[in-house]
Amino acid sequence: MASKADDVARTRTSAAEWVTHRERGSMTMLRIMTFLSLRLGRSGGRVFLYLIAAYFFAFAPTARRHARAYLRRALGREPTAADRFRHVLTFATTIHDRVYLMKERLDLFDISVEGEEFVGSALEEGHGAFLMGAHVGSFDIIRAIGQRQPGLQVAMAMYEDNARRVNAMLAAINPAAKPQVIALGHMDAMLKIQDHISRGVFVGVLGDRTLGNEATQEVSFLGRPARFPIGAMRAAAIMRRPVIFMAGLYRGGNRYHVVFEALADFSTVEPGQRAAAVRAAIGRYAQVLESYVRSEPYNWFNFFDFWRGGDG
């Protein structure tokens, strides 16, 4: 029987896997697509998406195996080769479109928004809020439409290596872009988040990944137990701020659908009720994420062993 230390080691190995492979793939694909996109335009650049997606589909066997296991759960059947290729192609498309979104070319897209009133309500109160998303669709489309909301400021909290990549990426594509990025993994990260929140800034986090060394909660997700980090939700509870789910779903062509949905409001939660409220909020997050993963299965870019053991 595996020991607790073995479980922790597997967790950290799996976490390192998604950090290393997914981010490396994202940056490689982004560099290629940036070069082509800025020279050929969106329509011309999209021609090469199929070639690039085919390359990653053919030469990333580990990611392909894990993606197949995920799609099997999300679709409720054995995924076909067309299903699996569409998954990779959707990923490639969102990276391709990132170039134009960073150039603030919203005119190229047909964007619908659902639940914007949740953001508007929190914005009116002026106390800031947490936007909790996942590796679903495009965060850049959310950031882009957020810029049209007067008074809305969003800072993205992410781990230091990712933050460095994002800053370098933005500087290369659009030197005028100055994103607010809070680097996690430092002693003062929580103080920085609290400072942003107190100034009415919304803090965005992605809640479907763990690096393996933070507190997590086990919940049922797509029919099997999975672990979700609780740090961001716990921070929201301590700061007594609302948490809003966010996702920018790609729906083919030039169409995106942005959704916001209320997850939790910790404004009236007393300290003694905090732990239970956080547990309930994590359960709610997993349920909402699962509903979108099932309805938009090709939008969750899961290319690693999310359930940490067993691809069945």
Side-chain angles (χ1 to χ4, degrees):
M1 181 177 294
S3 67
K4 184 175 181 180
D6 292 332
D7 289 339
V8 171
R10 279 198 300 271
T11 296
R12 289 179 176 168
T13 299
S14 181
E17 178 186 348
W18 82 257
V19 172
T20 301
H21 292 287
R22 183 188 182 280
E23 294 305 324
R24 183 187 301 157
S26 296
M27 292 303 296
T28 300
M29 195 180 290
L30 181 66
R31 290 189 186 100
I32 296 170
M33 292 315 305
T34 299
F35 177 81
L36 295 173
S37 301
L38 295 179
R39 286 156 181 78
L40 302 177
R42 187 172 187 270
S43 297
R46 282 178 62 80
V47 174
F48 290 90
L49 282 181
Y50 290 86
L51 296 176
I52 294 170
Y55 175 84
F56 279 87
F57 181 78
F59 296 104
T62 301
R64 186 170 64 242
R65 183 177 73 254
H66 294 321
R68 185 172 188 168
Y70 151 65
L71 286 172
R72 187 180 297 126
R73 298 183 186 285
L75 297 171
R77 59 174 172 79
E78 186 64 30
T80 64
D83 290 322
R84 292 182 283 120
F85 182 76
R86 182 179 174 184
H87 190 205
V88 177
L89 182 62
T90 300
F91 178 45
T93 299
T94 61
I95 293 177
H96 177 221
D97 287 342
R98 180 181 292 180
V99 175
Y100 302 103
L101 292 167
M102 289 180 177
K103 285 288 189 180
E104 301 179 359
R105 291 295 310 276
L106 281 178
D107 58 293
L108 297 174
F109 302 98
D110 178 7
I111 306 170
S112 57
V113 184
E114 177 184 350
E116 200 167 10
E117 66 274 11
F118 295 117
V119 175
S121 177
L123 186 60
E124 286 177 6
E125 294 183 4
H127 300 305
F130 284 77
L131 295 173
M132 184 169 287
H135 291 77
V136 171
S138 170
F139 173 75
D140 298 284
I141 202 80
I142 301 172
R143 182 184 60 83
I145 67 160
Q147 292 175 345
R148 72 187 186 187
Q149 179 75 259
L152 178 61
Q153 297 182 66
V154 178
M156 196 67 190
M158 58 183 65
Y159 287 95
E160 185 173 21
D161 286 347
N162 294 351
R164 192 181 303 115
R165 290 187 181 99
V166 168
N167 285 327
M169 189 168 54
L170 279 168
I173 296 174
N174 184 0
K178 295 181 180 179
Q180 296 189 62
V181 178
I182 302 170
L184 299 176
H186 296 276
M187 293 292 290
D188 63 345
M190 190 60 65
L191 292 176
K192 289 182 178 180
I193 290 174
Q194 188 166 15
D195 176 63
H196 280 74
I197 288 287
S198 66
R199 291 187 282 111
V201 177
F202 283 53
V203 174
V205 295
L206 301 181
D208 61 337
R209 294 291 190 272
T210 171
L211 287 183
N213 55 0
E214 70 260 56
T216 61
Q217 177 178 322
E218 184 176 280
V219 296
S220 177
F221 186 73
L222 292 178
R224 280 197 64 187
R227 303 205 72 88
F228 288 87
I230 66 173
M233 199 71 77
R234 182 183 287 165
I238 292 172
M239 298 176 199
R240 306 181 76 155
R241 295 294 189 263
V243 183
I244 302 167
F245 179 85
M246 63 177 179
L249 307 167
Y250 177 65
R251 289 187 167 174
N254 68 338
R255 294 178 296 116
Y256 281 88
H257 182 63
V258 175
V259 295
F260 298 101
E261 193 165 335
L263 286 179
D265 184 356
F266 296 108
S267 60
T268 61
V269 175
E270 297 299 327
Q273 304 170 322
R274 192 176 292 155
V278 168
R279 285 195 299 272
I282 292 293
R284 165 77 173 153
Y285 170 78
Q287 290 174 352
V288 171
L289 177 59
E290 180 173 316
S291 71
Y292 286 110
V293 163
R294 288 194 183 278
S295 65
E296 310 278 350
Y298 307 106
N299 269 266
W300 193 41
F301 305 133
N302 183 73
F303 300 107
F304 83 111
D305 184 11
F306 184 78
W307 287 270
R308 303 189 184 104
D311 285 342

